[in-house]
Amino acid sequence: MSSGEFVSNCTADSLAQAAQLLKDGGLVALPTETVYGLGADATNPSAVARVYKAKGRPADHPLIVHIHSMQSLGDWADEIPSYAISLARDFWPGPMTLVLKRTILAEDFVTGGQPTVGLRVPDHAVALALLSAFEKIGGKGIAAPSANRFGHVSPTTAKAVQEELGEYLETRDQILDGGPSTVGVESTIIDCTSDSPRILRPGAITIEMIEESTGLKVSTAETNIRVSGSLENHYAPNASVHLNRDPILGEGFIAMAQIETPSGVVRLASPTSIEEFARVIYSALRDADARHLNSVVVAEPAGDGLALAIRDRLMRASKGR
Ligand code: TXA
Ligand code: MG
């Protein structure tokens, strides 16, 4: 199979073309502020089936539906609690996915058979322009999981998408290049189906931000809701990932800039802030594989908020595949 067409110059024309491709059942990989997604028309069962196939993902894991604005929320979600409206007002477009009771538009093939649907308005000019062009021709939403093979590191550049999925795409499929993702870890997923919000996956929208927006206490209790990003063995490179120990000769090393590199160790990233840590972590893990390293040591960042999301992903990456 051949790889998808690479579109690096996202003009109005090329985005209108990409929107039409989605409408015709093709796949379009798109940039978002968190990570790149592999998009399909969320109402087209065969297009969505191709997303699962390209990712090698089990069919019972639900996809996030991306919409252009909260105006489209009612198309997909029912019985929306007022705290979810506050969250949407405060943080969309942005790195936040709301899990809500679904309408009939959200069919089993996109929700993994669950009675809920995950919705997000991404904060990226290319993604928003594509969503707007898609709406103009009658599109309702773009289902898009992270554009990586199941269990692998999420892509934060168009090149990483090409490396992950190129061989699983058809010639007509497209990969849109919108530059490196600025947040770098996946959206915060918030279950909004009970009286108060519950975090299913931590991200850049933090507990404090959610409590401030809603005036409610956030729960982080474990649930039996299926979130593949909450599986152990996820976000993993080929190299084995080790946390918070001294790296040895020939190992890769990722740590905040103030931590020195022991001699003989391959420094892969030296972020100077938590935000930068999030932005570079996945490309640094990919870099370890590109350099054929067998193992990478990460000195995890301390603190709450985004640091918590980074530690969540690293814990899973360290379990391997
Ligand atoms: O930042 C992101 O969220 C990125 C970008 C592309 O938007 N997308 C992303 O998609 O991370 P994915 O499929 O790799 O992870 C989505 C997670 C999965 O773990 C899935 O189980 C969960 O969202 N999810 C989706 N719909 C859900 C639902 N109705 N109930 C519970 N979890 C849901
Ligand atoms: Mg993913």
Side-chain angles (χ1 to χ4, degrees):
M1 233 184 272
S2 50
S3 60
E5 186 197 347
F6 213 93
V7 179
S8 56
N9 183 13
C10 296
T11 60
D13 275 356
S14 66
L15 289 169
Q17 234 179 50
Q20 189 59 51
L21 174 63
L22 286 169
K23 206 80 184 78
D24 296 339
L27 304 186
V28 176
L30 64 148
T32 86
E33 80 281 28
T34 56
V35 300
Y36 275 66
L38 179 64
D41 178 348
T43 64
N44 181 333
S46 56
V48 170
R50 280 197 52 226
V51 169
Y52 281 91
K53 191 150 177 260
K55 275 192 67 102
R57 180 179 185 160
D60 58 354
H61 289 265
L63 301 182
I64 294 171
V65 176
H66 297 72
I67 53 180
H68 179 256
S69 77
M70 66 180 287
Q71 256 78 59
S72 313
L73 202 50
D75 289 347
W76 292 95
D78 218 355
E79 299 172 27
I80 306 167
S82 58
Y83 72 81
I85 303 284
S86 317
L87 289 170
R89 281 217 183 92
D90 287 347
F91 304 123
W92 275 350
M96 177 185 76
T97 296
L98 300 182
V99 170
L100 292 156
K101 192 164 178 294
R102 67 175 170 176
T103 62
I104 49 165
L105 195 57
E107 295 191 62
D108 285 347
F109 62 80
V110 90
T111 72
Q114 304 193 78
T116 56
V117 59
L119 294 163
R120 175 161 115 81
V121 180
D123 186 14
H124 192 291
V126 171
L128 287 171
L130 178 67
L131 282 160
S132 154
F134 188 53
E135 265 186 16
K136 273 203 192 98
I137 54 173
K140 291 290 188 185
I142 301 177
S146 53
N148 51 277
R149 293 285 289 169
F150 186 64
H152 289 206
V153 180
S154 302
T156 52
T157 63
K159 183 167 165 277
V161 175
Q162 176 73 46
E163 287 164 6
E164 278 285 324
L165 297 180
E167 64 183 291
Y168 302 97
L169 298 178
E170 292 177 3
T171 315
R172 65 172 177 152
D173 298 335
Q174 290 193 352
I175 300 171
L176 300 178
D177 188 348
S181 298
T182 52
V183 174
V185 293
E186 299 81 355
S187 61
T188 305
I189 302 181
I190 309 170
D191 172 19
C192 299
T193 59
S194 46
D195 294 342
S196 60
R198 181 167 43 184
I199 294 188
L200 301 179
R201 179 177 72 182
I205 301 300
T206 64
I207 297 175
E208 294 68 35
M209 292 161 82
I210 299 167
E211 291 186 341
E212 160 108 39
S213 165
T214 63
L216 294 169
K217 189 96 190 105
V218 169
S219 147
T220 53
E222 290 277 321
T223 69
N224 54 7
I225 292 179
R226 219 175 302 127
V227 181
S228 52
S230 70
L231 291 176
E232 290 192 351
N233 314 27
H234 225 72
Y235 313 105
N238 294 320
S240 61
V241 176
H242 307 270
L243 305 177
N244 309 323
R245 67 152 167 79
D246 290 331
I248 57 168
L249 193 71
E251 285 189 318
F253 188 44
I254 298 168
M256 294 292 284
Q258 63 268 26
I259 302 176
E260 281 176 21
T261 314
S263 69
V265 163
V266 183
R267 188 65 174 250
L268 297 167
S270 306
T272 56
S273 66
I274 298 294
E275 288 71 24
E276 188 186 352
F277 206 118
R279 192 153 56 233
V280 302
I281 184 66
Y282 287 149
S283 58
L285 291 174
R286 280 178 187 284
D287 195 19
D289 286 346
R291 295 172 188 237
H292 306 290
L293 301 180
N294 291 321
S295 60
V296 187
V297 175
V298 187
E300 292 184 301
D304 302 332
L306 193 53
L308 201 129
I310 296 168
R311 292 199 302 276
D312 170 74
R313 306 309 193 277
L314 287 171
M315 180 267 289
R316 298 174 207 289
S318 72
K319 303 274 159 82
R321 288 205 217 130

